[in-house]
Amino acid sequence: MNFDVAIIGGGLAGLTCGIALQQQGKQCVIINNGQAAIDFSSGSMDLLGQLPSGRQIQHFEQNYTALYQQLPQHPYCVIGKEKVMANALKFEQLAQQLNLGLVGSSEKNHLRVTPLGSLRQTWLSPNSVPTVAEGEIFSHRKIAILGIEGYHDFQPQLLADNLVQNPQFSHCEVTTGFLSIPELDHLRNNSREFRSVNIAQLLEHKLAFSDLVREIKEAAQGAKAVFLPACFGLETQAFFIALKEATQLELFELPTLPPSLLGMRQHKQLTQYFKQLGGFMMNGDKVIKANVENNQVKQVYTHLHQEVPITAKHFVLASGSFFSKGLVADFDKIYEPIFNADIIGYTQFDSSNRMTWTHHRFAESQPYQAAGVIINAQCQVQKSGQSFENLYAIGNVLGGFNGIELGCGSGVAVITAFVVAEQIGGAI
């Protein structure tokens, strides 16, 4: 099997890179070993929410110098500010082209409401999620937060109590309630099946739509804005939009405990577009070894095709972090399992000394979360101090930053994806 580019990993980074390369006319294969982190995400995408010092930020460009001074090994700092800003704009344009329904701008972060009622700085959010700009107040005074009876992954009262503690919502009158939705009764008998995906599947196919509309309007108790768990619309927003139009209310949806429908919708749309462009997906497979000669990757072999090598001119490592086994932690070391690439973390972190992997306070940011592959400014992977000529790494397999703590994981994914696509486009 011969390709221009072989991408290892089918999450946000791998798909974005694959789409950009297919748009250039390159023939790509994505080797995808299963569910990606995007399926468990909130649907919002972060560029940079705070500095390593802990200070919350709104403007990335204005705070780039501070980031560089505090964390020079961050992928953004390795790549350079100009490329980061240019590729953030590229992704905004791609999202618009694909009708991902994202709102926001790299010029300034906005605040999104979390399922616990806090506000989080973010770059892009689904247009169905309640958001507010810093220093502004929410546009609706009366809000109804409605859960689903028996569904424990969304707690309306907890959300309501926390929400009004924020200055942007302190003027709001918030009520709570629950939707019974009789069609869900048989799911309630098995709590393990009473999850957002199962609910959405059932509602789209076996629902008395008019009854749901009436129930939402009654439970809203006169409120114009209604917050719901993201359980309405499995693959697209079409069902949720129809519900919004039928109720004539300002409906908003919030992500629930994983898996998240908001992230799954984005994953499906990106995958479909990659395929439409002619990209090839190898789902349910994983790379187990590679042939390397003179700092060049020649071939890789997968679990399902151990005797049939995959040959490409360029290879992209988009295998993710510990969640998707792009990184592995044994008792005595943290390592990247396919190429055994060099690993970097925060200051004082040593991948071969497990005593440096964790902080003694459980609630603190843990050093192992910043572990990952070392790259240069072209995102080429480093091993034994030397860079591969045709192997690149993108997304959360990269080291030197904690994407959860800093609020930048999805930003790093899409920006490094575009950097590599541009690099390969000029090299072939």
Side-chain angles (χ1 to χ4, degrees), residues 354-414:
R354 66 178 295 108
M355 300 306 294
T356 68
W357 299 357
T358 57
H359 192 282
H360 69 279
R361 286 181 56 85
F362 178 77
E364 291 289 332
S365 174
Q366 300 300 320
Y368 78 88
Q369 294 173 316
V373 170
I374 300 176
I375 57 169
N376 59 19
Q378 290 74 45
C379 293
Q380 292 168 310
V381 176
Q382 176 181 302
K383 180 178 180 179
S384 302
Q386 292 187 314
S387 296
F388 286 91
E389 292 181 14
N390 68 335
L391 174 63
Y392 307 84
I394 59 178
N396 286 326
V397 74
L398 302 179
F401 74 108
N402 184 331
I404 298 174
E405 175 193 17
L406 302 181
C408 63
S410 45
V412 168
V414 299

Coordinates of all heavy atoms in Angstrom, one line a residue, residues 354-414:
R354 N 10.3 8.1 37.7 CA 8.9 8.2 38.0 C 8.6 9.2 39.2 O 7.5 9.7 39.4 CB 8.2 6.9 38.2 CG 8.7 6.1 39.5 CD 7.9 4.8 39.6 NE 6.5 5.0 39.9 CZ 5.5 4.8 39.0 NH1 5.8 4.4 37.8 NH2 4.3 5.0 39.3
M355 N 9.6 9.4 40.0 CA 9.4 10.3 41.2 C 9.2 11.8 40.7 O 8.7 12.6 41.4 CB 10.6 10.3 42.1 CG 10.8 8.9 42.7 SD 9.3 8.2 43.5 CE 9.2 9.4 44.9
T356 N 9.6 12.1 39.4 CA 9.4 13.4 38.9 C 8.1 13.5 38.1 O 7.8 14.6 37.6 CB 10.5 13.8 38.0 OG1 10.5 13.0 36.8 CG2 11.9 13.6 38.7
W357 N 7.3 12.5 38.0 CA 6.1 12.5 37.1 C 4.9 13.1 37.8 O 4.0 13.5 37.1 CB 5.7 11.0 36.8 CG 6.7 10.3 36.0 CD1 7.9 10.8 35.5 CD2 6.7 8.9 35.6 NE1 8.6 9.8 34.9 CE2 7.9 8.6 34.9 CE3 5.7 7.9 35.7 CZ2 8.1 7.4 34.3 CZ3 6.0 6.7 35.2 CH2 7.2 6.4 34.5
T358 N 4.8 13.1 39.1 CA 3.6 13.6 39.8 C 4.0 14.6 40.8 O 5.1 14.7 41.3 CB 2.9 12.4 40.5 OG1 3.9 11.8 41.4 CG2 2.4 11.4 39.5
H359 N 3.0 15.4 41.2 CA 3.0 16.4 42.2 C 2.4 15.8 43.5 O 1.5 15.0 43.4 CB 2.3 17.7 41.8 CG 2.5 18.9 42.7 ND1 1.9 19.0 43.9 CD2 3.3 20.0 42.5 CE1 2.3 20.1 44.5 NE2 3.1 20.8 43.6
H360 N 3.0 16.1 44.6 CA 2.5 15.5 45.9 C 1.1 15.9 46.2 O 0.4 15.2 47.0 CB 3.5 15.9 47.1 CG 3.4 17.3 47.5 ND1 4.1 18.3 46.8 CD2 2.7 17.9 48.5 CE1 3.9 19.5 47.4 NE2 3.0 19.3 48.4
R361 N 0.6 17.0 45.7 CA -0.8 17.4 45.9 C -1.6 16.9 44.7 O -1.4 17.2 43.5 CB -0.9 18.9 46.0 CG -0.4 19.5 47.3 CD -0.6 21.0 47.3 NE -2.0 21.4 47.1 CZ -2.9 21.5 48.0 NH1 -2.6 21.2 49.3 NH2 -4.1 21.9 47.7
F362 N -2.6 16.1 45.0 CA -3.4 15.5 44.0 C -4.1 16.5 43.1 O -4.2 16.3 41.8 CB -4.5 14.6 44.6 CG -5.4 13.9 43.6 CD1 -5.0 12.8 42.9 CD2 -6.7 14.4 43.4 CE1 -5.8 12.2 42.0 CE2 -7.5 13.8 42.5 CZ -7.1 12.7 41.8
A363 N -4.6 17.6 43.6 CA -5.3 18.6 42.9 C -4.4 19.5 42.0 O -4.9 20.2 41.2 CB -6.1 19.5 43.8
E364 N -3.1 19.4 42.1 CA -2.2 20.2 41.3 C -2.1 19.6 39.9 O -2.4 18.4 39.7 CB -0.8 20.3 42.0 CG -0.8 21.1 43.3 CD -1.0 22.6 43.0 OE1 -0.6 23.1 42.0 OE2 -1.5 23.3 44.0
S365 N -1.6 20.4 39.0 CA -1.3 19.9 37.7 C -0.2 18.9 37.8 O 0.8 19.2 38.5 CB -0.8 21.1 36.8 OG -0.4 20.6 35.6
Q366 N -0.3 17.8 37.1 CA 0.7 16.7 37.3 C 1.7 16.8 36.1 O 1.3 16.9 35.0 CB -0.1 15.4 37.3 CG -1.1 15.2 38.4 CD -0.4 15.3 39.8 OE1 0.7 14.8 40.0 NE2 -1.1 16.0 40.7
P367 N 3.0 16.7 36.5 CA 4.0 16.8 35.5 C 3.9 15.8 34.3 O 4.3 16.2 33.2 CB 5.3 16.6 36.3 CG 5.0 17.0 37.6 CD 3.5 16.6 37.8
Y368 N 3.5 14.6 34.6 CA 3.4 13.6 33.5 C 2.4 14.1 32.4 O 2.6 13.6 31.2 CB 2.9 12.2 34.0 CG 1.5 12.1 34.3 CD1 0.6 11.7 33.3 CD2 0.9 12.4 35.5 CE1 -0.8 11.6 33.5 CE2 -0.4 12.3 35.8 CZ -1.3 11.9 34.8 OH -2.6 11.8 35.0
Q369 N 1.5 15.0 32.7 CA 0.5 15.4 31.7 C 1.2 16.3 30.6 O 0.6 16.6 29.6 CB -0.6 16.2 32.3 CG -1.5 15.3 33.2 CD -2.5 16.1 34.0 OE1 -2.2 17.1 34.6 NE2 -3.7 15.6 34.0
A370 N 2.4 16.8 30.9 CA 3.2 17.6 30.0 C 4.2 16.8 29.2 O 4.9 17.3 28.4 CB 3.9 18.7 30.7
A371 N 4.2 15.5 29.4 CA 5.2 14.6 28.7 C 4.8 14.4 27.3 O 3.6 14.4 26.9 CB 5.3 13.3 29.4
G372 N 5.8 14.3 26.4 CA 5.5 14.0 25.0 C 6.7 14.1 24.1 O 7.8 14.3 24.6
V373 N 6.5 14.0 22.8 CA 7.5 13.9 21.8 C 8.2 15.3 21.6 O 7.5 16.3 21.6 CB 6.9 13.4 20.5 CG1 7.9 13.5 19.4 CG2 6.5 11.9 20.7
I374 N 9.5 15.3 21.4 CA 10.2 16.5 21.0 C 10.1 16.8 19.5 O 10.3 15.9 18.7 CB 11.7 16.4 21.5 CG1 11.8 16.2 23.0 CG2 12.4 17.7 21.1 CD1 13.2 16.0 23.5
I375 N 9.9 18.0 19.1 CA 9.9 18.4 17.7 C 10.7 19.7 17.5 O 11.1 20.3 18.5 CB 8.4 18.7 17.2 CG1 7.8 19.8 18.1 CG2 7.6 17.4 17.2 CD1 6.5 20.4 17.5
N376 N 11.0 19.9 16.3 CA 11.7 21.2 15.9 C 10.6 22.2 15.3 O 9.4 21.9 15.4 CB 12.8 21.0 14.9 CG 12.4 20.3 13.6 OD1 11.2 20.3 13.3 ND2 13.4 19.7 12.9
A377 N 11.1 23.3 14.8 CA 10.1 24.3 14.3 C 9.3 23.8 13.1 O 8.2 24.3 12.8 CB 10.9 25.5 13.9
Q378 N 9.7 22.7 12.4 CA 9.0 22.1 11.3 C 8.1 21.0 11.8 O 7.5 20.3 11.0 CB 9.9 21.7 10.2 CG 10.6 22.8 9.4 CD 11.7 23.4 10.2 OE1 12.5 22.8 10.9 NE2 11.8 24.8 10.2
C379 N 8.1 20.7 13.1 CA 7.4 19.6 13.7 C 8.0 18.3 13.3 O 7.3 17.2 13.4 CB 5.9 19.7 13.3 SG 5.0 21.1 14.0
Q380 N 9.2 18.2 13.0 CA 9.9 16.9 12.7 C 10.2 16.3 14.1 O 10.7 17.0 15.0 CB 11.2 17.1 11.9 CG 10.9 17.6 10.4 CD 12.1 18.0 9.7 OE1 12.8 18.9 10.2 NE2 12.3 17.5 8.5
V381 N 10.1 15.0 14.1 CA 10.3 14.3 15.4 C 11.8 14.1 15.7 O 12.5 13.8 14.7 CB 9.6 12.9 15.3 CG1 9.9 12.1 16.5 CG2 8.1 13.1 15.1
Q382 N 12.1 14.2 16.9 CA 13.5 14.0 17.3 C 13.7 12.6 18.0 O 12.9 12.2 18.8 CB 13.9 15.1 18.3 CG 15.4 14.9 18.8 CD 15.7 16.0 19.8 OE1 15.7 17.2 19.4 NE2 16.1 15.7 21.0
K383 N 14.8 11.9 17.6 CA 15.2 10.7 18.3 C 16.7 10.7 18.5 O 17.4 11.0 17.5 CB 14.8 9.5 17.5 CG 15.1 8.1 18.2 CD 14.7 7.0 17.4 CE 15.1 5.6 18.0 NZ 14.6 4.5 17.3
S384 N 17.1 10.4 19.7 CA 18.6 10.4 20.0 C 19.2 11.7 19.6 O 20.4 11.7 19.1 CB 19.3 9.2 19.4 OG 18.7 8.0 19.8
G385 N 18.5 12.8 19.8 CA 19.0 14.1 19.5 C 19.0 14.5 18.0 O 19.4 15.7 17.7
Q386 N 18.6 13.7 17.1 CA 18.5 14.0 15.7 C 17.1 13.9 15.2 O 16.3 13.2 15.7 CB 19.4 13.0 14.9 CG 20.9 13.1 15.1 CD 21.7 12.2 14.2 OE1 21.4 11.1 14.0 NE2 22.7 12.8 13.6
S387 N 16.8 14.8 14.2 CA 15.4 14.9 13.7 C 15.3 13.9 12.5 O 16.1 13.8 11.6 CB 15.1 16.3 13.2 OG 15.1 17.2 14.3
F388 N 14.1 13.3 12.4 CA 13.8 12.5 11.3 C 13.5 13.4 10.1 O 13.0 14.5 10.3 CB 12.5 11.7 11.5 CG 12.6 10.5 12.4 CD1 12.5 10.6 13.8 CD2 12.9 9.2 11.8 CE1 12.6 9.5 14.6 CE2 13.0 8.1 12.7 CZ 12.9 8.2 14.0
E389 N 13.9 13.0 8.9 CA 13.6 13.8 7.7 C 12.2 13.9 7.3 O 11.7 14.9 6.8 CB 14.5 13.4 6.6 CG 16.0 13.6 6.8 CD 16.9 13.1 5.7 OE1 16.3 12.9 4.6 OE2 18.1 13.0 5.8
N390 N 11.5 12.7 7.5 CA 10.1 12.6 6.9 C 9.1 12.1 7.9 O 8.1 11.6 7.6 CB 10.1 11.7 5.7 CG 10.4 10.2 6.1 OD1 11.1 10.0 7.1 ND2 10.0 9.3 5.2
L391 N 9.4 12.3 9.2 CA 8.5 12.0 10.3 C 8.1 13.2 11.1 O 9.1 13.9 11.6 CB 9.0 10.9 11.2 CG 8.2 10.5 12.4 CD1 6.8 9.9 12.0 CD2 8.9 9.5 13.3
Y392 N 6.9 13.5 11.2 CA 6.4 14.7 11.9 C 5.4 14.3 13.0 O 4.8 13.2 12.9 CB 5.6 15.7 10.9 CG 6.4 16.0 9.7 CD1 6.4 15.2 8.6 CD2 7.1 17.2 9.6 CE1 7.1 15.5 7.4 CE2 7.9 17.5 8.5 CZ 7.9 16.6 7.4 OH 8.6 17.0 6.2
A393 N 5.3 15.1 14.0 CA 4.4 14.9 15.1 C 3.5 16.1 15.3 O 3.9 17.2 15.2 CB 5.1 14.5 16.4
I394 N 2.2 15.8 15.6 CA 1.2 16.9 15.8 C 0.3 16.5 16.9 O 0.1 15.3 17.3 CB 0.4 17.1 14.5 CG1 -0.3 15.9 14.1 CG2 1.3 17.7 13.4 CD1 -1.2 16.0 12.8
G395 N -0.3 17.5 17.5 CA -1.4 17.2 18.5 C -0.8 16.9 19.9 O 0.3 17.2 20.3
N396 N -1.6 16.1 20.6 CA -1.3 15.8 22.0 C -0.3 14.8 22.3 O 0.1 14.5 23.4 CB -2.6 15.4 22.7 CG -3.6 16.6 23.0 OD1 -3.1 17.7 23.2 ND2 -4.8 16.4 22.9
V397 N 0.3 14.2 21.2 CA 1.5 13.4 21.4 C 2.7 14.3 21.7 O 3.8 13.8 22.2 CB 1.8 12.5 20.2 CG1 2.3 13.3 19.0 CG2 2.7 11.3 20.5
L398 N 2.6 15.6 21.4 CA 3.7 16.5 21.7 C 3.9 16.7 23.1 O 3.0 16.7 23.9 CB 3.5 17.8 20.9 CG 3.3 17.7 19.4 CD1 3.0 19.1 18.8 CD2 4.5 17.1 18.7
G399 N 5.2 17.1 23.5 CA 5.5 17.4 24.9 C 5.8 18.8 25.2 O 5.8 19.6 24.2
G400 N 6.1 19.1 26.4 CA 6.5 20.5 26.8 C 5.3 21.4 27.2 O 5.6 22.5 27.5
F401 N 4.1 20.9 27.3 CA 3.0 21.7 27.7 C 1.9 20.8 28.3 O 1.8 19.6 28.0 CB 2.4 22.5 26.5 CG 1.6 21.6 25.6 CD1 0.2 21.7 25.5 CD2 2.3 20.7 24.7 CE1 -0.5 20.9 24.6 CE2 1.5 19.9 23.8 CZ 0.2 20.0 23.8
N402 N 1.0 21.4 29.1 CA -0.1 20.7 29.7 C -1.4 21.3 29.1 O -1.8 22.4 29.5 CB -0.1 20.8 31.2 CG -1.3 20.0 31.8 OD1 -2.3 19.8 31.2 ND2 -1.0 19.5 33.1
G403 N -1.9 20.7 28.1 CA -3.1 21.2 27.4 C -4.3 21.5 28.2 O -5.1 22.4 28.0
I404 N -4.5 20.6 29.2 CA -5.7 20.8 30.1 C -5.5 22.0 31.0 O -6.4 22.8 31.2 CB -5.8 19.5 31.0 CG1 -6.1 18.3 30.0 CG2 -7.0 19.7 32.0 CD1 -6.2 17.0 30.8
E405 N -4.3 22.1 31.6 CA -4.0 23.2 32.5 C -4.0 24.5 31.8 O -4.6 25.5 32.3 CB -2.7 23.0 33.2 CG -2.3 24.1 34.1 CD -0.8 24.0 34.5 OE1 0.0 23.3 33.9 OE2 -0.4 24.7 35.5
L406 N -3.4 24.6 30.7 CA -3.2 25.9 30.0 C -4.4 26.2 29.0 O -4.5 27.3 28.5 CB -1.9 25.9 29.2 CG -0.6 25.6 30.0 CD1 0.6 25.7 29.0 CD2 -0.5 26.6 31.1
G407 N -5.3 25.2 28.8 CA -6.4 25.4 27.9 C -5.9 25.7 26.5 O -6.1 26.7 25.9
C408 N -5.2 24.7 25.9 CA -4.6 24.9 24.6 C -4.5 23.6 23.8 O -3.9 23.5 22.7 CB -3.2 25.5 24.6 SG -2.0 24.5 25.5
G409 N -5.1 22.5 24.3 CA -4.9 21.2 23.6 C -5.4 21.1 22.2 O -4.7 20.7 21.3
S410 N -6.6 21.6 22.0 CA -7.2 21.5 20.6 C -6.5 22.6 19.7 O -6.4 22.3 18.5 CB -8.7 21.8 20.7 OG -9.0 22.9 21.5
G411 N -6.1 23.7 20.3 CA -5.4 24.6 19.5 C -4.0 24.1 19.0 O -3.7 24.2 17.8
V412 N -3.3 23.4 19.8 CA -2.0 22.8 19.4 C -2.3 21.8 18.4 O -1.6 21.6 17.4 CB -1.3 22.2 20.7 CG1 -0.2 21.2 20.2 CG2 -0.8 23.2 21.6
A413 N -3.4 21.0 18.5 CA -3.7 19.9 17.5 C -3.9 20.5 16.1 O -3.3 20.0 15.2 CB -5.0 19.2 18.0
V414 N -4.8 21.5 16.0 CA -5.1 22.0 14.6 C -3.9 22.8 14.1 O -3.7 22.8 12.9 CB -6.4 22.8 14.6 CG1 -7.5 21.8 15.0 CG2 -6.4 24.0 15.5

